[in-house]
Amino acid sequence: MEFTEILYEKKDGVARVTINRPEKHNACTTTTVYELTQALTDAWVDRCVGVVVLTGAGDKAFCTGGDQSIREEGGYAGTVAALPLEVAWQQVSTLIRTIPKPVIARVNGYAIGGGHVFHVVCDFSIASENAKFGQAGPRVGSFDPGYGTGDLVRAVGLKRAKEIWFLCRQYTAQQALDMGLVNSVVPHDQLDSEVDKWCTDLLEKSPTAMKMLKYAFHAETDGVAGVTNLGVGGLSMFYNTEESLEGKNAFIERRKPDFSKFRK
Ligand code: 2NE
């Protein structure tokens, strides 16, 4: 896969997705967001991948949201992707939340605006002690009406989530840890070893158990979509059973299926 605004590498069960616009503090264009959907989809389907790490290039920023320099009347300018940036952003958030594997945000610096949303929707956030967190929408005339508000409430509570969104303040990594916004804060030079440790621990666990747990955590708040993910997660396991294969085999062999032995 060829990318121009992200880096994507897979090694030892870990897919690393890096937003690669350090000169812009890893702010995203329509192209960046489109490429993120491609990489995350690949990580979803690749059976060799057990954990996904999302991060930003350089040591200043994880991601500072949508690139404000390409905003014009009606929204963000787009070049390759058919979808408007703000719609594609929700697709990335949905992929992060739905990919049946743990996704770790490696927060190496500023996680601001839509970049903050990305870390919020990840399953885990491991932060450098230099990282800064915050929303920026109401300052620049934007907002995230989806997971960026809903999941934030679930992480830090309603009052704090409103404070973060309405006031657009910045919070240190320690403050983020104290309010339950991140899982771990380490000195900057230990960020990679800490992320590697989490990856190793996760790769030792049952992938199916983690998949079903991830869907279970979202089932209640995600309504029909959440129940669908939980159900479809179970369906892939059912496909492996003799009972399910009897239905498929009977169709291929042009005979009536015999499910009687499964009626226990
Ligand atoms: C993050 C922050 C506070 C850092 O400040 P500082 O002073 O450390 O760095 P500086 O100089 O502001 O940034 C370095 C370079 O990155 C660019 C800057 O323009 C600057 O470029 P040069 O002037 O050196 O050429 N840069 C940083 N963030 C950018 C951005 N988002 N768009 C374009 N260029 C950016 C400070 O940089 C800051 O406040 N950044 C803006 C944060 C922000 O407003 N994000 C957008 C929120 S809305 C959103 O993300 C969104 C949406 O509207 C719709 C859907 C999904 C998401």
Side-chain angles (χ1 to χ4, degrees):
M1 300 176 99
E2 299 248 323
F3 295 116
T4 56
E5 298 191 0
I6 69 166
L7 304 173
Y8 182 54
E9 67 154 8
K10 295 183 278 188
K11 200 174 161 213
D12 300 333
V14 179
R16 287 191 169 74
V17 184
T18 306
I19 301 169
N20 191 25
R21 303 188 76 227
E23 72 288 354
K24 290 268 189 179
H25 275 5
N26 298 316
C28 298
T29 68
T30 335
T31 303
T32 328
V33 183
Y34 175 73
E35 292 184 356
L36 287 174
T37 63
Q38 301 301 297
L40 288 167
T41 304
D42 179 83
W44 180 321
V45 298
D46 189 336
R47 285 169 182 259
C48 297
V49 171
V51 179
V52 181
V53 175
L54 176 65
T55 192
D59 58 4
K60 295 280 186 299
F62 170 74
C63 172
T64 56
D67 186 328
Q68 298 307 293
S69 66
I70 60 157
R71 264 181 77 179
E72 52 191 27
E73 201 176 327
Y76 290 84
T79 47
V80 289
L83 289 171
L85 177 138
E86 65 275 18
V87 178
W89 210 280
Q90 299 303 328
Q91 285 197 327
V92 173
S93 298
T94 303
L95 274 168
I96 292 171
R97 294 171 91 259
T98 319
I99 185 170
K101 307 169 186 194
V103 183
I104 298 175
R106 173 189 173 276
V107 188
N108 50 315
Y110 285 111
I112 303 287
H116 190 258
V117 171
F118 280 164
H119 107 83
V120 166
V121 297
C122 284
D123 298 300
F124 305 104
S125 296
I126 314 290
S128 153
E129 62 188 3
N130 300 342
K132 294 265 173 54
F133 299 81
Q135 295 298 154
R139 199 177 62 225
V140 293
S142 187
F143 56 89
D144 184 325
Y147 301 124
T149 43
D151 279 3
L152 187 64
V153 169
R154 295 171 75 199
V156 302
L158 185 58
K159 300 270 182 192
R160 185 69 88 171
K162 285 180 178 171
E163 172 192 315
I164 292 171
W165 265 103
F166 290 12
L167 299 179
C168 302
R169 288 178 180 157
Q170 283 180 19
Y171 301 85
T172 64
Q174 186 57 48
Q175 287 172 312
L177 184 67
D178 292 343
M179 66 174 104
L181 197 51
V182 301
N183 298 85
S184 175
V185 175
V186 292
H188 192 74
D189 62 0
Q190 290 168 29
L191 184 58
D192 284 322
S193 58
E194 178 74 356
V195 170
D196 288 349
K197 183 172 168 297
W198 281 65
C199 290
T200 303
D201 283 358
L202 288 164
L203 287 168
E204 286 169 359
K205 306 299 183 297
S206 155
T208 305
M210 289 192 291
K211 170 177 88 167
M212 297 310 287
L213 279 167
K214 180 161 174 169
Y215 290 152
F217 274 115
H218 293 148
E220 187 185 356
T221 49
D222 288 7
V224 176
V227 173
T228 301
N229 287 334
L230 195 56
V232 171
L235 181 61
S236 63
M237 285 188 271
F238 178 54
Y239 280 154
N240 291 329
T241 66
E242 227 186 303
E243 178 179 347
S244 171
L245 289 171
E246 167 60 10
K248 185 269 297 182
N249 290 338
F251 176 79
I252 299 289
E253 294 161 15
R254 296 183 176 277
R255 60 175 172 80
K256 277 180 85 172
D258 177 9
F259 289 118
S260 58
K261 66 176 170 181
F262 304 109
R263 206 169 289 119
K264 292 174 193 150

